Amino acid sequence: MISGAEVLVDAAKNAEAGDRIYDERWRQQYEPARNGEFVAIDIQTGQAFPGKEAVDALEQACAANPGSFFHLIRVGSDAAYRGGFLLSKCL
């Protein structure tokens, strides 16, 4: 886990902590049965909050631990979301 002071310093460190907690504590419980769903990991307590949608997981997490910091994971995937863009005109 990570302390509150450390959380504010480094976003990459926060993501690493969330991934590590998920791998060590929760992966076997959630995969493959919940693939495609989301889990919000409280990086300060190590708790996991699953939900069918990202908002469901985050709402549970915030209700349980307001003021904490969470790392969002899509179960069975490398990233919670994939992003991209389309340029309609090059400048």
Side-chain angles (χ1 to χ4, degrees):
M1 266 105 15
I2 192 167
S3 74
E6 289 177 289
V7 166
L8 298 173
V9 175
D10 188 347
K13 189 182 240 185
N14 297 345
E16 289 172 14
D19 286 337
R20 184 175 57 253
I21 293 166
Y22 180 74
D23 288 341
E24 292 173 0
R25 294 187 182 188
W26 302 107
R27 183 180 298 277
Q28 287 185 334
Q29 181 175 337
Y30 292 122
E31 294 181 19
R34 290 181 176 246
N35 279 358
E37 295 182 16
F38 292 86
V39 178
I41 303 293
D42 185 325
I43 62 172
Q44 293 177 284
T45 68
Q47 291 176 280
F49 301 90
K52 295 269 184 198
E53 301 294 332
V55 68
D56 301 327
L58 290 168
E59 284 177 346
Q60 287 182 64
C62 290
N65 299 330
S68 197
F69 294 86
F70 306 99
H71 179 64
L72 187 65
I73 291 173
R74 179 173 253 167
V75 179
S77 181
D78 292 338
Y81 290 100
R82 287 183 171 73
F85 62 92
L86 175 65
L87 289 176
S88 60
K89 186 190 274 187
C90 291
L91 301 174

Coordinates of all heavy atoms in Angstrom, one line a residue:
M1 N 0.8 -1.2 0.0 CA 0.0 0.0 0.0 C 0.9 1.2 0.0 O 2.1 1.2 0.2 CB -0.9 0.0 1.2 CG -2.3 -0.6 0.9 SD -2.7 -2.3 1.5 CE -1.7 -2.8 2.6
I2 N 0.2 2.4 -0.1 CA 0.9 3.6 -0.3 C 0.3 4.7 0.7 O -0.9 4.7 0.9 CB 0.9 4.1 -1.8 CG1 1.8 5.2 -2.1 CG2 -0.5 4.4 -2.2 CD1 2.0 5.4 -3.6
S3 N 1.1 5.5 1.2 CA 0.6 6.5 2.2 C 0.0 7.7 1.5 O 0.2 7.9 0.3 CB 1.8 7.0 3.1 OG 2.6 7.9 2.4
G4 N -0.9 8.4 2.2 CA -1.6 9.6 1.6 C -0.6 10.6 1.1 O -0.8 11.2 0.0
A5 N 0.5 10.9 1.7 CA 1.5 11.8 1.3 C 2.1 11.4 0.0 O 2.3 12.2 -0.9 CB 2.5 12.1 2.3
E6 N 2.4 10.1 -0.2 CA 3.0 9.6 -1.4 C 2.1 9.6 -2.6 O 2.5 9.9 -3.7 CB 3.5 8.1 -1.2 CG 4.6 7.9 -0.3 CD 4.9 6.5 -0.1 OE1 4.1 5.8 0.6 OE2 6.0 6.0 -0.7
V7 N 0.8 9.4 -2.3 CA -0.2 9.4 -3.4 C -0.2 10.7 -4.2 O -0.4 10.7 -5.4 CB -1.6 9.2 -2.7 CG1 -2.7 9.4 -3.7 CG2 -1.8 7.8 -2.2
L8 N -0.1 11.8 -3.5 CA -0.2 13.1 -4.2 C 1.0 13.4 -5.1 O 1.0 14.3 -5.9 CB -0.4 14.2 -3.2 CG -1.7 14.1 -2.4 CD1 -1.7 15.2 -1.3 CD2 -2.9 14.2 -3.2
V9 N 2.1 12.7 -4.9 CA 3.4 13.0 -5.5 C 3.5 12.5 -6.9 O 4.0 13.2 -7.8 CB 4.5 12.5 -4.6 CG1 5.9 12.8 -5.3 CG2 4.5 13.2 -3.3
D10 N 3.1 11.3 -7.2 CA 3.5 10.6 -8.4 C 2.4 9.7 -9.0 O 2.1 8.6 -8.4 CB 4.8 9.8 -8.1 CG 5.4 9.2 -9.4 OD1 4.8 9.2 -10.5 OD2 6.6 8.8 -9.3
A11 N 1.8 10.1 -10.1 CA 0.7 9.3 -10.7 C 1.2 8.0 -11.1 O 0.5 7.0 -11.0 CB 0.1 10.1 -11.8
A12 N 2.4 7.9 -11.7 CA 2.9 6.6 -12.1 C 3.1 5.6 -10.9 O 2.8 4.5 -11.0 CB 4.2 6.8 -12.8
K13 N 3.5 6.2 -9.8 CA 3.7 5.4 -8.6 C 2.3 4.8 -8.1 O 2.2 3.7 -7.7 CB 4.4 6.2 -7.5 CG 4.8 5.4 -6.3 CD 5.4 6.3 -5.3 CE 6.8 5.9 -5.0 NZ 7.4 6.7 -3.9
N14 N 1.3 5.7 -8.2 CA 0.0 5.3 -7.8 C -0.5 4.1 -8.7 O -1.1 3.2 -8.2 CB -1.0 6.5 -8.0 CG -0.6 7.6 -7.1 OD1 0.2 7.5 -6.1 ND2 -1.2 8.8 -7.3
A15 N -0.3 4.2 -10.0 CA -0.7 3.2 -10.9 C 0.0 1.9 -10.7 O -0.6 0.8 -10.7 CB -0.5 3.6 -12.4
E16 N 1.3 2.0 -10.4 CA 2.1 0.8 -10.1 C 1.6 0.1 -8.8 O 1.5 -1.1 -8.7 CB 3.6 1.1 -9.9 CG 4.2 1.5 -11.2 CD 5.7 2.0 -11.0 OE1 6.2 1.9 -9.9 OE2 6.2 2.6 -12.0
A17 N 1.3 0.9 -7.8 CA 0.8 0.4 -6.5 C -0.6 -0.3 -6.8 O -0.8 -1.4 -6.3 CB 0.6 1.5 -5.5
G18 N -1.5 0.3 -7.5 CA -2.8 -0.3 -7.8 C -2.6 -1.6 -8.6 O -3.3 -2.6 -8.2
D19 N -1.8 -1.6 -9.6 CA -1.5 -2.9 -10.3 C -1.0 -4.0 -9.4 O -1.4 -5.1 -9.5 CB -0.6 -2.6 -11.5 CG -1.2 -1.8 -12.6 OD1 -2.5 -1.9 -12.7 OD2 -0.5 -1.2 -13.4
R20 N 0.0 -3.6 -8.6 CA 0.6 -4.6 -7.7 C -0.4 -5.2 -6.7 O -0.4 -6.4 -6.5 CB 1.8 -3.9 -6.9 CG 2.6 -4.9 -6.1 CD 3.8 -4.2 -5.4 NE 3.4 -3.1 -4.6 CZ 3.6 -1.8 -4.9 NH1 4.2 -1.5 -6.0 NH2 3.3 -0.8 -4.1
I21 N -1.2 -4.3 -6.1 CA -2.3 -4.8 -5.2 C -3.2 -5.7 -5.9 O -3.6 -6.8 -5.4 CB -3.0 -3.6 -4.6 CG1 -2.1 -2.8 -3.6 CG2 -4.2 -4.1 -3.8 CD1 -2.6 -1.4 -3.2
Y22 N -3.6 -5.3 -7.1 CA -4.5 -6.2 -7.9 C -3.9 -7.5 -8.2 O -4.5 -8.6 -8.0 CB -5.0 -5.5 -9.2 CG -5.9 -6.3 -10.0 CD1 -7.2 -6.5 -9.6 CD2 -5.4 -7.0 -11.2 CE1 -8.1 -7.3 -10.4 CE2 -6.3 -7.7 -11.9 CZ -7.6 -7.9 -11.5 OH -8.5 -8.7 -12.3
D23 N -2.7 -7.5 -8.6 CA -2.0 -8.8 -9.0 C -1.8 -9.7 -7.7 O -2.0 -10.9 -7.8 CB -0.6 -8.5 -9.6 CG -0.6 -7.9 -11.0 OD1 -1.7 -8.1 -11.6 OD2 0.4 -7.3 -11.4
E24 N -1.4 -9.1 -6.6 CA -1.1 -9.9 -5.4 C -2.4 -10.4 -4.7 O -2.4 -11.4 -4.1 CB -0.3 -9.1 -4.5 CG 1.1 -8.8 -5.0 CD 2.0 -7.9 -4.1 OE1 1.4 -7.4 -3.1 OE2 3.1 -7.6 -4.5
R25 N -3.4 -9.6 -4.7 CA -4.6 -9.9 -3.9 C -5.9 -10.3 -4.6 O -6.7 -11.0 -4.1 CB -4.9 -8.7 -3.0 CG -3.9 -8.3 -2.0 CD -4.5 -7.2 -1.1 NE -3.5 -6.8 -0.1 CZ -3.8 -6.0 0.9 NH1 -5.0 -5.5 1.0 NH2 -2.9 -5.6 1.7
W26 N -6.1 -9.7 -5.8 CA -7.4 -9.8 -6.3 C -7.5 -10.5 -7.7 O -8.6 -10.9 -8.1 CB -8.0 -8.4 -6.5 CG -8.1 -7.7 -5.1 CD1 -7.3 -6.7 -4.7 CD2 -9.0 -8.0 -4.1 NE1 -7.6 -6.3 -3.4 CE2 -8.7 -7.1 -3.0 CE3 -10.0 -8.9 -3.9 CZ2 -9.3 -7.1 -1.8 CZ3 -10.7 -9.0 -2.7 CH2 -10.3 -8.1 -1.7
R27 N -6.4 -10.5 -8.5 CA -6.5 -11.1 -9.8 C -7.2 -12.5 -9.9 O -8.1 -12.7 -10.7 CB -5.1 -11.1 -10.5 CG -5.2 -11.6 -11.9 CD -3.8 -11.6 -12.6 NE -3.2 -10.3 -12.7 CZ -3.4 -9.4 -13.7 NH1 -4.3 -9.7 -14.6 NH2 -2.8 -8.3 -13.7
Q28 N -6.7 -13.4 -9.0 CA -7.2 -14.8 -9.1 C -8.7 -14.8 -8.7 O -9.4 -15.7 -9.2 CB -6.4 -15.7 -8.1 CG -5.1 -16.0 -8.7 CD -4.3 -17.0 -7.8 OE1 -4.6 -17.1 -6.6 NE2 -3.4 -17.7 -8.4
Q29 N -9.2 -13.9 -7.9 CA -10.6 -13.9 -7.5 C -11.5 -13.4 -8.6 O -12.6 -13.8 -8.8 CB -10.8 -13.0 -6.3 CG -12.2 -12.9 -5.8 CD -12.3 -12.1 -4.5 OE1 -11.4 -12.0 -3.7 NE2 -13.5 -11.7 -4.2
Y30 N -11.0 -12.4 -9.4 CA -11.8 -11.8 -10.4 C -11.7 -12.3 -11.8 O -12.6 -12.2 -12.6 CB -11.6 -10.3 -10.4 CG -12.1 -9.6 -9.2 CD1 -11.2 -8.9 -8.4 CD2 -13.4 -9.7 -8.8 CE1 -11.6 -8.2 -7.2 CE2 -13.8 -9.1 -7.6 CZ -13.0 -8.4 -6.8 OH -13.4 -7.7 -5.7
E31 N -10.5 -12.9 -12.2 CA -10.3 -13.4 -13.5 C -10.5 -14.9 -13.6 O -10.0 -15.6 -12.7 CB -8.9 -12.9 -14.1 CG -8.8 -11.5 -14.2 CD -7.4 -11.0 -14.8 OE1 -6.7 -11.9 -15.3 OE2 -7.1 -9.9 -14.6
P32 N -11.1 -15.4 -14.6 CA -11.7 -14.8 -15.7 C -13.2 -14.6 -15.5 O -13.9 -14.0 -16.4 CB -11.5 -15.9 -16.8 CG -11.6 -17.2 -16.1 CD -11.0 -16.9 -14.7
A33 N -13.8 -14.9 -14.4 CA -15.2 -14.8 -14.1 C -15.8 -13.4 -14.4 O -16.9 -13.3 -14.8 CB -15.6 -15.3 -12.7
R34 N -15.0 -12.4 -14.1 CA -15.5 -11.0 -14.3 C -14.8 -10.2 -15.4 O -14.8 -9.0 -15.4 CB -15.4 -10.2 -12.9 CG -16.3 -10.7 -11.9 CD -16.1 -9.9 -10.6 NE -17.0 -10.2 -9.6 CZ -18.0 -9.4 -9.1 NH1 -18.1 -8.2 -9.6 NH2 -18.8 -9.8 -8.2
N35 N -14.2 -10.9 -16.3 CA -13.5 -10.2 -17.4 C -14.5 -9.2 -18.1 O -15.6 -9.5 -18.3 CB -13.1 -11.2 -18.5 CG -11.8 -11.9 -18.1 OD1 -11.2 -11.6 -17.1 ND2 -11.3 -12.8 -18.9
G36 N -13.9 -8.0 -18.3 CA -14.7 -6.9 -18.9 C -15.3 -6.0 -17.9 O -15.8 -4.9 -18.3
E37 N -15.4 -6.4 -16.7 CA -16.0 -5.6 -15.6 C -14.8 -4.7 -15.1 O -13.7 -4.8 -15.5 CB -16.6 -6.4 -14.5 CG -17.8 -7.2 -15.0 CD -18.5 -8.0 -13.9 OE1 -18.2 -7.7 -12.7 OE2 -19.3 -8.9 -14.2
F38 N -15.1 -3.9 -14.1 CA -14.2 -3.0 -13.5 C -13.9 -3.2 -12.1 O -14.8 -3.7 -11.4 CB -14.6 -1.5 -13.7 CG -14.6 -1.1 -15.2 CD1 -15.7 -1.4 -16.0 CD2 -13.5 -0.5 -15.7 CE1 -15.7 -1.0 -17.3 CE2 -13.5 -0.1 -17.1 CZ -14.6 -0.4 -17.9
V39 N -12.8 -2.9 -11.6 CA -12.4 -2.9 -10.2 C -11.7 -1.7 -9.8 O -10.7 -1.3 -10.5 CB -11.5 -4.2 -9.8 CG1 -11.2 -4.2 -8.3 CG2 -12.2 -5.5 -10.2
A40 N -12.2 -1.0 -8.8 CA -11.5 0.2 -8.2 C -10.7 -0.3 -7.0 O -11.2 -0.9 -6.1 CB -12.5 1.3 -7.8
I41 N -9.4 -0.1 -7.1 CA -8.5 -0.5 -6.0 C -8.1 0.7 -5.2 O -7.6 1.7 -5.7 CB -7.2 -1.1 -6.6 CG1 -7.5 -2.3 -7.5 CG2 -6.2 -1.5 -5.5 CD1 -8.0 -3.5 -6.9
D42 N -8.4 0.6 -3.9 CA -8.0 1.7 -3.0 C -6.5 1.5 -2.7 O -6.1 0.5 -2.1 CB -8.8 1.6 -1.7 CG -8.5 2.7 -0.7 OD1 -7.3 3.2 -0.6 OD2 -9.4 3.1 0.0
I43 N -5.7 2.4 -3.2 CA -4.2 2.1 -3.0 C -3.7 2.4 -1.7 O -2.6 2.2 -1.4 CB -3.4 2.9 -4.1 CG1 -3.6 4.4 -4.0 CG2 -3.8 2.4 -5.5 CD1 -2.7 5.2 -4.9
Q44 N -4.6 2.9 -0.8 CA -4.2 3.2 0.6 C -4.5 2.0 1.5 O -3.8 1.7 2.5 CB -4.7 4.5 1.1 CG -4.1 5.7 0.4 CD -4.7 7.0 0.8 OE1 -5.9 7.3 0.4 NE2 -4.0 7.7 1.6
T45 N -5.6 1.3 1.2 CA -6.1 0.2 2.1 C -5.9 -1.1 1.4 O -6.0 -2.2 2.1 CB -7.6 0.4 2.5 OG1 -8.4 0.2 1.3 CG2 -7.8 1.7 3.2
G46 N -5.9 -1.2 0.1 CA -5.8 -2.5 -0.6 C -7.1 -3.1 -0.9 O -7.2 -4.1 -1.5
Q47 N -8.2 -2.4 -0.5 CA -9.6 -2.9 -0.8 C -9.9 -2.8 -2.3 O -9.4 -2.0 -3.0 CB -10.6 -2.1 0.0 CG -10.6 -2.3 1.5 CD -11.6 -1.4 2.1 OE1 -11.3 -0.2 2.3 NE2 -12.7 -1.9 2.5
A48 N -10.7 -3.7 -2.7 CA -11.2 -3.8 -4.1 C -12.7 -3.6 -4.2 O -13.4 -4.2 -3.3 CB -10.8 -5.1 -4.8
F49 N -13.2 -2.8 -5.1 CA -14.6 -2.6 -5.3 C -15.0 -2.9 -6.7 O -14.7 -2.1 -7.6 CB -14.9 -1.1 -5.0 CG -14.5 -0.8 -3.6 CD1 -13.2 -0.3 -3.3 CD2 -15.4 -0.9 -2.5 CE1 -12.8 0.0 -2.0 CE2 -15.0 -0.6 -1.2 CZ -13.7 -0.1 -1.0
P50 N -15.6 -4.0 -7.0 CA -16.0 -4.4 -8.4 C -17.3 -3.8 -8.8 O -18.1 -3.4 -8.0 CB -16.1 -5.9 -8.3 CG -16.6 -6.2 -6.9 CD -15.9 -5.1 -6.0
G51 N -17.4 -3.6 -10.1 CA -18.7 -3.1 -10.7 C -18.7 -3.5 -12.2 O -17.7 -3.7 -12.8
K52 N -20.0 -3.6 -12.7 CA -20.2 -3.9 -14.1 C -19.6 -2.8 -15.0 O -19.1 -3.0 -16.0 CB -21.6 -4.1 -14.4 CG -22.3 -5.3 -13.7 CD -22.2 -6.5 -14.6 CE -22.9 -7.6 -13.9 NZ -22.6 -8.9 -14.4
E53 N -19.7 -1.6 -14.5 CA -19.2 -0.4 -15.2 C -18.2 0.4 -14.3 O -18.3 0.2 -13.1 CB -20.4 0.6 -15.6 CG -21.4 -0.1 -16.5 CD -20.9 -0.4 -17.8 OE1 -20.0 0.3 -18.3 OE2 -21.4 -1.3 -18.4
A54 N -17.4 1.2 -14.9 CA -16.4 1.9 -14.1 C -17.0 2.8 -13.0 O -16.6 2.8 -11.9 CB -15.5 2.8 -15.0
V55 N -18.1 3.5 -13.4 CA -18.8 4.3 -12.4 C -19.3 3.5 -11.2 O -19.3 4.0 -10.1 CB -19.9 5.2 -13.1 CG1 -21.1 4.3 -13.6 CG2 -20.4 6.3 -12.2
D56 N -19.8 2.3 -11.4 CA -20.3 1.5 -10.3 C -19.2 1.2 -9.3 O -19.4 1.3 -8.1 CB -20.9 0.2 -10.9 CG -22.0 0.4 -11.8 OD1 -22.8 1.4 -11.7 OD2 -22.2 -0.4 -12.8
A57 N -18.0 0.8 -9.9 CA -16.9 0.5 -9.0 C -16.4 1.7 -8.2 O -16.2 1.6 -7.0 CB -15.8 -0.1 -9.9
L58 N -16.3 2.8 -8.9 CA -15.8 4.0 -8.3 C -16.8 4.6 -7.3 O -16.4 5.1 -6.2 CB -15.5 5.1 -9.3 CG -14.2 4.7 -10.2 CD1 -14.1 5.7 -11.4 CD2 -13.0 4.8 -9.3
E59 N -18.1 4.5 -7.5 CA -19.1 4.9 -6.6 C -19.0 4.1 -5.3 O -19.1 4.7 -4.2 CB -20.5 4.9 -7.2 CG -20.8 6.0 -8.1 CD -22.2 5.9 -8.8 OE1 -22.9 4.8 -8.7 OE2 -22.6 6.9 -9.4
Q60 N -18.9 2.8 -5.4 CA -18.8 1.9 -4.2 C -17.5 2.3 -3.4 O -17.5 2.4 -2.2 CB -18.6 0.5 -4.6 CG -19.9 -0.2 -5.1 CD -19.6 -1.6 -5.4 OE1 -19.3 -2.4 -4.5 NE2 -19.7 -2.0 -6.7
A61 N -16.4 2.5 -4.2 CA -15.1 2.8 -3.5 C -15.2 4.2 -2.8 O -14.8 4.3 -1.6 CB -14.0 2.9 -4.6
C62 N -15.8 5.2 -3.4 CA -15.9 6.5 -2.8 C -16.8 6.5 -1.6 O -16.6 7.2 -0.6 CB -16.4 7.5 -3.8 SG -15.1 7.9 -5.1
A63 N -17.9 5.7 -1.7 CA -18.8 5.6 -0.6 C -18.2 4.9 0.6 O -18.4 5.3 1.8 CB -20.1 4.8 -1.0
A64 N -17.4 3.9 0.4 CA -16.7 3.2 1.5 C -15.5 4.0 2.1 O -15.3 3.9 3.3 CB -16.2 1.8 1.0
N65 N -14.8 4.7 1.2 CA -13.6 5.3 1.7 C -13.5 6.7 1.0 O -12.6 7.0 0.2 CB -12.3 4.5 1.3 CG -12.3 3.2 2.0 OD1 -12.8 3.0 3.0 ND2 -11.7 2.2 1.3
P66 N -14.3 7.6 1.4 CA -14.3 9.0 0.9 C -12.9 9.6 1.2 O -12.4 9.5 2.3 CB -15.4 9.7 1.5 CG -15.8 8.9 2.7 CD -15.4 7.5 2.5
G67 N -12.4 10.3 0.2 CA -11.1 11.0 0.4 C -9.9 10.1 0.1 O -8.7 10.5 0.2
S68 N -10.1 8.8 -0.2 CA -9.0 7.9 -0.5 C -8.6 8.1 -2.0 O -9.3 8.9 -2.7 CB -9.3 6.5 -0.2 OG -8.2 5.7 -0.1
F69 N -7.7 7.3 -2.5 CA -7.2 7.4 -3.9 C -7.4 6.0 -4.5 O -7.1 5.0 -3.8 CB -5.8 7.8 -4.0 CG -5.6 9.2 -3.5 CD1 -5.4 9.5 -2.2 CD2 -5.6 10.2 -4.4 CE1 -5.2 10.8 -1.8 CE2 -5.4 11.6 -4.0 CZ -5.2 11.8 -2.7
F70 N -7.9 5.9 -5.7 CA -8.3 4.7 -6.3 C -7.6 4.5 -7.7 O -7.3 5.5 -8.4 CB -9.8 4.6 -6.5 CG -10.5 4.8 -5.2 CD1 -11.1 6.1 -5.0 CD2 -10.6 3.8 -4.3 CE1 -11.7 6.3 -3.8 CE2 -11.3 4.0 -3.1 CZ -11.8 5.3 -2.8
H71 N -7.3 3.3 -8.0 CA -6.7 2.9 -9.3 C -7.8 2.0 -10.0 O -8.2 1.0 -9.4 CB -5.4 2.1 -9.1 CG -4.8 1.6 -10.4 ND1 -4.3 2.5 -11.3 CD2 -4.6 0.4 -10.9 CE1 -3.8 1.8 -12.3 NE2 -4.0 0.5 -12.1
L72 N -8.2 2.4 -11.2 CA -9.3 1.7 -11.9 C -8.7 0.6 -12.8 O -7.8 1.0 -13.6 CB -10.2 2.7 -12.7 CG -11.4 2.1 -13.3 CD1 -12.4 1.6 -12.2 CD2 -12.1 3.1 -14.2
I73 N -9.2 -0.6 -12.8 CA -8.7 -1.7 -13.6 C -9.9 -2.3 -14.3 O -11.0 -2.5 -13.7 CB -8.0 -2.7 -12.7 CG1 -6.7 -2.2 -12.2 CG2 -7.8 -4.0 -13.5 CD1 -6.0 -3.1 -11.2
R74 N -9.7 -2.6 -15.6 CA -10.7 -3.4 -16.3 C -10.2 -4.8 -16.2 O -9.1 -5.2 -16.7 CB -10.9 -3.0 -17.8 CG -11.9 -3.9 -18.5 CD -12.1 -3.4 -19.9 NE -13.5 -2.8 -19.9 CZ -13.9 -2.1 -20.9 NH1 -13.2 -1.8 -21.9 NH2 -15.2 -1.6 -20.8
V75 N -11.1 -5.7 -15.6 CA -10.7 -7.1 -15.4 C -10.4 -7.8 -16.7 O -11.2 -7.7 -17.6 CB -11.8 -7.8 -14.6 CG1 -11.4 -9.3 -14.3 CG2 -12.1 -7.1 -13.3
G76 N -9.2 -8.5 -16.7 CA -8.8 -9.2 -17.9 C -8.2 -8.4 -19.0 O -8.0 -8.9 -20.1
S77 N -7.9 -7.1 -18.8 CA -7.4 -6.2 -19.8 C -6.2 -5.5 -19.3 O -6.0 -5.4 -18.2 CB -8.5 -5.2 -20.2 OG -8.1 -4.3 -21.2
D78 N -5.4 -5.1 -20.3 CA -4.2 -4.3 -19.9 C -4.5 -2.9 -19.5 O -3.7 -2.3 -18.8 CB -3.2 -4.2 -21.1 CG -2.6 -5.6 -21.5 OD1 -2.6 -6.5 -20.6 OD2 -2.2 -5.8 -22.6
A79 N -5.6 -2.3 -19.9 CA -5.9 -1.0 -19.6 C -7.4 -0.8 -19.3 O -8.2 -1.6 -19.9 CB -5.5 0.0 -20.7
A80 N -7.8 0.1 -18.4 CA -9.3 0.3 -18.2 C -10.0 0.8 -19.5 O -11.1 0.4 -19.8 CB -9.4 1.3 -17.0
Y81 N -9.3 1.7 -20.2 CA -9.8 2.3 -21.4 C -8.8 2.4 -22.4 O -7.6 2.5 -22.1 CB -10.4 3.7 -21.2 CG -11.7 3.6 -20.4 CD1 -11.7 3.9 -19.0 CD2 -12.9 3.3 -20.9 CE1 -12.8 3.9 -18.3 CE2 -14.1 3.2 -20.2 CZ -14.0 3.5 -18.9 OH -15.2 3.5 -18.1
R82 N -9.1 2.3 -23.7 CA -8.2 2.5 -24.8 C -8.6 3.8 -25.4 O -9.8 4.1 -25.6 CB -8.3 1.4 -25.8 CG -7.6 0.1 -25.3 CD -7.6 -1.0 -26.3 NE -6.8 -2.1 -25.9 CZ -7.1 -3.0 -25.0 NH1 -8.3 -2.8 -24.4 NH2 -6.3 -4.0 -24.7
G83 N -7.7 4.6 -25.8 CA -8.0 5.9 -26.3 C -7.4 6.1 -27.7 O -6.5 5.3 -28.1
G84 N -7.9 7.0 -28.4 CA -7.4 7.3 -29.8 C -8.1 8.5 -30.3 O -9.0 9.1 -29.6
F85 N -7.7 9.0 -31.4 CA -8.3 10.1 -32.0 C -8.2 10.0 -33.5 O -7.4 9.3 -34.1 CB -7.7 11.4 -31.5 CG -6.3 11.6 -31.8 CD1 -5.8 12.2 -32.9 CD2 -5.3 11.0 -31.0 CE1 -4.5 12.4 -33.2 CE2 -3.9 11.2 -31.3 CZ -3.5 11.8 -32.4
L86 N -9.0 10.8 -34.2 CA -9.1 10.9 -35.6 C -8.9 12.3 -36.0 O -9.6 13.2 -35.6 CB -10.4 10.4 -36.1 CG -10.7 10.5 -37.6 CD1 -9.7 9.6 -38.4 CD2 -12.1 10.1 -38.0
L87 N -7.9 12.6 -36.8 CA -7.6 13.9 -37.4 C -8.4 14.1 -38.6 O -8.3 13.3 -39.6 CB -6.2 14.2 -37.6 CG -5.2 14.3 -36.4 CD1 -3.8 14.5 -36.9 CD2 -5.6 15.5 -35.6
S88 N -9.3 15.1 -38.6 CA -10.0 15.3 -39.9 C -9.3 16.3 -40.8 O -9.5 16.4 -42.0 CB -11.4 15.9 -39.6 OG -11.3 17.1 -38.9
K89 N -8.3 17.0 -40.2 CA -7.5 18.0 -41.0 C -6.2 18.1 -40.3 O -6.1 18.3 -39.1 CB -8.2 19.4 -41.0 CG -7.6 20.4 -41.9 CD -8.1 21.7 -41.6 CE -9.4 21.9 -42.5 NZ -9.8 23.3 -42.4
C90 N -5.1 18.0 -41.1 CA -3.8 18.2 -40.5 C -3.4 19.6 -40.6 O -3.7 20.3 -41.6 CB -2.7 17.3 -41.3 SG -2.9 15.6 -41.1
L91 N -2.8 20.1 -39.6 CA -2.4 21.5 -39.5 C -0.9 21.7 -39.9 O -0.1 20.9 -39.7 CB -2.6 22.2 -38.2 CG -4.1 22.1 -37.7 CD1 -4.2 22.6 -36.3 CD2 -4.9 22.9 -38.6

